[in-house]
Amino acid sequence: MTDLETAPATLRLTVGQAVVKFLGQQYSERDGLRCKFFAGCFGIFGHGNVAGLGQALLQAELDEPGVLPYHQGRNEQAMVHIAVGYARQKDRLQTFAITASVGPGAANMLTGAALATVNRIPVLLLPADIFATRIASPVLQELEQPYSCDISVNDAFRPLSRFFDRVWRPEQLPAALLGAMRVLTDPAETGTATVCLPEDVQAEAFDWPAELFAERVWRISRPVPEPEVIRAAADLIRSARRPMIVAGGGVTYAEANEELRSFVEATGIPIGETQAGKGSLPYDHPLNTGAIGATGTPAANRIAAGADVILGIGTRYSDFTTASRTAFANPDVRFVNINVAGLDAVKLAGLPVIADAKRALPALQEALAGYRTQDEYRQLATSLAAEWDARVVASHSNGFGARTGLLAQSEVLGAVEAVMDPRDVVVCAAGSLPGDLHGMWRTRDRKGYHVEYGFSCMGYEIPGGIGIAMAAPDRDVFVTVGDGSYLMMPTELVTAVQEGIKIIVVLFQNHGYASIGALSESLGAQRYGTKYRFRSPESGRLDGDVLPVDLAANAASLGVTVYRAKTLPELREALAKAKVSSTVVLVHVDTDPYEQSPAGNGWWDVPVAEVSTIDSTNVARAEYDKLKLARRPYLSPATAAESATTSDHPYIEGKKP
Ligand SMILES: Cc1ncc(C[n+]2csc(CCOP(=O)(O)OP(=O)(O)O)c2C)c(N)n1
Ligand SMILES: [Mg+2]
């Protein structure tokens, strides 16, 4: 044998070409189903990536079409949102890579990076970086720091990423890519993975071991619960008279909806849903009390207030879920938390069941054999939910718009819901709509509700909707967006038009921030800075006439089909046309910023100025001082209450064996 025959096979490629080739070979697998992990790569090119990753994507498109399809975006932040929308709709089994140029292109992705990490959604960011050789420093757009030469704008990704690396030399690339893949495909760790690629390194050639480009399958794990922990959790739940489930995003990401249904029907424990958990069960399941927390329904919040054991499943327990730690008012309340992430499982001093929901729920159901809540408790949950549903339905056509000339938000939502098929997806992220949707949307399908509320990022709506539509071409995607959020990021409408990705945008024009306006008013800050108004020559303040913006014309100028609606019949007609259209559609509807939708009684802790020269602020502070007394620390260890095995349990039929 000659040396040549024994030498390991290598491929001579640039770093950019190696990245593209590697990404095209990554697969995820769960429950025996395998799919490409990267559906493609979004990118905006500048000097930092045009000749590196840009050249590599071109070469791949010509030589191996389809291996990593390239898509053009308008704004780097929005490209990350598209990836998040896509990955969430795909239950985190697939995502996109995103390449951006050095400096501002990279920095524009920071918001998206944080959003993905907060929401626990996998995205791979490939920001270009400053020259590794420093040969021409400072290059255009380089951030200089007097104390160090190895800092760039990209270091700002470190706290926003679950994995961060910078490839100063080609030899470092395999470890960086494999490290990123491990984190992206770990359900407990997933979020943003950032691999920074200096612009000179991207173009540099290297002899890569051929096996770097072998097909690689990443198993998305389903950690099983420890039997001892399941026994302890079952003991705690058996001690409960009024248990409640808080269903979070983890239920659906684990595709555990049927296991949840079975568990709920066997044990008779009612559920409340978080924003990410909405759709865990259909809205009309008799034991689904709907949204819980600050934007929760009176039904869920009443059950939560009396609950003695909370079983949290796949929830981060954000302040909206706990109503800023006031929702669970029973002094003896204890928590059991099923979660793949230890970080979440231990929250509220809960008994941590660190496991996948699809594995843990059947185990817990078996351990709870014979346990069932009492009829009257279940009936209470069902009747409270039905009462709320009647209020929601009434708000859909309460005649408000016909009386005042401006539609109420609830009327618009009713019309949107009516035109949608059960599997269609409603999308939102910020403003007054997420609260209304959380409480009032009647979700019929596990993937039919998509409100980004981990980061609640204005501007997510349209790009997020595009990602969802790419992930689910068999569903219509209805993006609900306020005028403020629309103005933040209408740019990706161009991307949707370019790619022929149908989304239906319903734009709620109320000339400013109705949500923050109402919040401001309730906190004694008089809606300051929340209306879009001219600066008045008389007062010198922003309280003049309504601004003459025409967002319908704006959307039309981007190539979108636009309908305008002012009345309910006009709106219904526009939505019906949008539903059957094959193009990108925007329905522009004028709504009243002051009309409040029906709501529950959840509190949200937003501190009010403790001293002030303004009367309204002082009144609000006095109210705040009262309300904050309801906050609870939730620190009691999660052991079964002493009385549990002996005392009378009016709501429980089965007792601990
Ligand atoms: C990027 C970003 N900036 C600021 C906020 C704070 N914020 C939350 S809602 C909102 C106003 C949203 O206005 P609009 O989209 O018109 O919805 P409306 O409140 O009128 O329903 C603001 C400024 C945010 N969530 N995201
Ligand atoms: Mg608005």
Side-chain angles (χ1 to χ4, degrees):
M1 247 189 217
T2 66
D3 278 1
L4 250 178
E5 279 165 325
T6 52
T10 58
L11 250 69
R12 190 159 177 79
L13 299 171
T14 68
V15 168
Q17 291 157 3
V19 168
V20 169
K21 201 167 184 60
F22 175 91
L23 297 183
Q25 297 305 319
Q26 307 308 304
Y27 290 79
S28 67
E29 187 185 273
R30 188 164 72 178
D31 305 336
L33 291 176
R34 183 177 295 197
C35 53
K36 278 198 95 161
F37 190 67
F38 295 102
C41 181
F42 271 84
I44 293 177
F45 298 117
H47 64 95
N49 59 347
V50 68
L53 270 175
Q55 188 282 338
L57 286 161
L58 164 68
Q59 189 166 312
E61 189 169 299
L62 297 175
D63 293 352
E64 301 172 87
V67 74
L68 191 71
Y70 164 70
H71 301 276
Q72 194 178 51
R74 297 325 108 174
N75 174 302
E76 291 84 358
Q77 180 191 136
M79 296 193 294
V80 187
H81 295 338
I82 293 174
V84 169
Y86 185 92
R88 176 166 160 181
Q89 190 68 20
K90 291 281 191 185
D91 290 326
R92 314 194 293 194
L93 300 171
Q94 286 181 280
T95 186
F96 280 96
I98 299 118
T99 163
S101 191
V102 68
N108 263 358
M109 294 201 295
L110 290 168
T111 304
L115 183 147
T117 292
V118 168
N119 284 286
R120 319 276 164 84
I121 300 291
V123 295
L124 176 62
L125 306 189
L126 303 170
D129 218 318
I130 52 174
F131 276 56
T133 57
R134 301 179 187 163
I135 198 86
S137 283
V139 297
L140 176 68
Q141 303 168 327
E142 179 167 341
L143 172 80
E144 289 180 276
Q145 289 290 8
Y147 60 87
S148 171
C149 295
D150 74 349
I151 300 272
S152 81
V153 157
N154 288 351
D155 287 278
F157 283 101
R158 287 179 188 269
L160 310 179
S161 303
R162 300 304 302 265
F163 179 86
F164 176 94
D165 205 354
R166 182 184 273 127
V167 181
W168 290 121
R169 296 178 54 87
E171 292 90 329
Q172 297 170 332
L173 185 68
L177 291 175
L178 294 168
M181 284 307 301
R182 181 189 67 75
V183 169
L184 289 168
T185 56
D186 179 335
E189 285 199 46
T190 198
T192 295
T194 303
V195 177
C196 308
L197 299 167
E199 65 175 276
D200 50 349
V201 177
Q202 280 181 54
E204 199 174 327
F206 187 75
D207 293 308
W208 307 95
E211 65 253 39
L212 176 62
F213 308 111
E215 196 175 289
R216 235 167 266 272
V217 181
W218 300 83
R219 214 179 147 273
I220 311 285
S221 68
R222 290 195 178 281
V224 293
E226 293 177 76
E228 296 82 353
V229 175
I230 287 292
R231 271 200 295 280
D235 281 352
L236 190 55
I237 293 169
R238 278 185 193 280
S239 76
R241 305 174 219 187
R242 302 174 211 179
M244 181 186 201
I245 289 168
V246 174
V251 171
T252 293
Y253 298 147
E255 299 175 273
N257 307 81
E258 278 314 307
E259 286 75 8
L260 178 65
R261 180 198 293 273
S262 164
F263 182 89
V264 163
E265 289 173 2
T267 59
I269 303 178
I271 80 160
E273 296 174 323
T274 72
Q275 281 279 13
K278 206 167 148 82
S280 292
L281 291 180
Y283 83 97
D284 54 357
H285 187 285
L287 288 174
N288 188 355
T289 61
I292 188 165
T295 48
T297 68
N301 284 345
R302 174 140 166 229
I303 296 291
D308 46 7
V309 169
I310 298 291
L311 173 58
I313 311 172
T315 174
R316 301 188 306 126
Y317 284 117
S318 80
D319 64 346
F320 265 78
T321 296
T322 67
S324 299
R325 304 208 174 201
T326 63
F328 312 114
N330 184 330
D332 294 324
V333 66
R334 300 286 187 278
F335 298 84
V336 178
N337 301 322
I338 298 175
N339 209 299
V340 280
L343 169 70
D344 296 314
V346 299
K347 285 178 180 170
L348 311 192
L351 175 77
V353 182
I354 299 178
D356 175 270
K358 202 178 179 76
R359 294 282 180 269
L361 281 169
L364 193 54
Q365 186 175 331
E366 200 186 314
L368 282 169
Y371 172 90
R372 192 161 170 77
T373 57
Q374 266 202 343
D375 287 351
E376 56 198 272
Y377 182 56
R378 296 196 301 278
Q379 280 155 11
L380 174 69
T382 303
S383 68
L384 288 171
E387 266 171 46
W388 171 247
D389 191 52
R391 276 180 68 191
V392 169
V393 172
S395 78
H396 285 168
S397 49
N398 57 12
F400 182 85
R403 284 195 303 279
T404 65
L406 279 180
L407 287 171
Q409 204 152 278
S410 63
E411 293 177 298
V412 181
L413 290 178
V416 173
E417 196 182 276
V419 81
M420 284 172 65
D421 291 329
R423 290 183 72 257
D424 290 348
V425 189
V426 69
V427 185
C428 200
S432 55
L433 281 163
D436 283 5
L437 290 166
H438 190 215
M440 297 164 57
W441 196 255
R442 300 155 90 224
T443 311
R444 295 170 279 177
D445 180 88
R446 61 182 281 275
K447 300 304 293 186
Y449 181 90
H450 187 124
V451 174
E452 185 283 294
Y453 218 61
F455 215 43
S456 185
C457 183
M458 290 170 77
Y460 173 86
E461 298 87 347
I462 290 170
I466 291 172
I468 298 162
M470 292 177 86
D474 57 331
R475 301 176 189 244
D476 270 320
V477 175
F478 285 75
V479 173
T480 61
V481 62
D483 56 314
S485 284
Y486 178 89
L487 279 169
M488 234 356 119
M489 201 170 293
T491 50
E492 292 331 287
L493 284 173
V494 178
T495 305
V497 169
Q498 175 180 43
E499 297 272 5
I501 298 163
K502 183 193 172 184
I503 55 170
I504 298 165
V505 179
V506 184
L507 169 54
F508 293 66
Q509 173 58 280
N510 58 18
H511 300 282
Y513 305 158
S515 53
I516 306 297
L519 180 67
S520 165
E521 190 167 301
S522 75
L523 303 176
Q526 304 181 6
R527 295 189 181 247
Y528 180 69
T530 64
K531 297 176 193 171
Y532 290 162
R533 297 285 186 278
F534 277 109
R535 187 170 294 284
S536 144
E538 292 82 45
S539 69
R541 306 179 65 204
L542 295 177
D543 58 3
D545 286 340
V546 168
L547 300 181
V549 293
D550 184 346
L551 300 182
N554 175 272
S557 79
L558 303 178
V560 172
T561 306
V562 171
Y563 301 109
R564 295 173 192 260
K566 283 191 183 299
T567 66
L568 215 40
E570 282 169 10
L571 176 63
R572 290 190 182 119
E573 194 188 325
L575 289 167
K577 282 194 214 149
K579 174 74 181 147
V580 297
S581 165
S582 56
T583 60
V584 184
V585 181
L586 181 137
V587 177
H588 180 281
V589 54
D590 297 287
T591 56
D592 190 311
Y594 297 103
E595 174 61 4
Q596 298 281 318
S597 300
N601 52 350
W603 185 58
W604 187 33
D605 187 346
V606 180
V608 181
E610 202 165 357
V611 292
S612 163
T613 57
I614 303 172
D615 285 347
S616 62
T617 305
N618 293 331
V619 170
R621 176 67 198 200
E623 179 69 5
Y624 176 75
D625 285 335
K626 270 190 255 154
L627 291 172
K628 74 178 185 178
L629 297 175
R631 287 189 304 217
R632 301 271 314 280
Y634 301 134
L635 292 172
S636 301
T639 46
E642 260 313 291
S643 59
T645 45
T646 52
S647 73
D648 56 326
H649 284 180
Y651 286 108
I652 291 298
E653 283 163 7
K655 285 276 170 63
K656 195 176 171 179

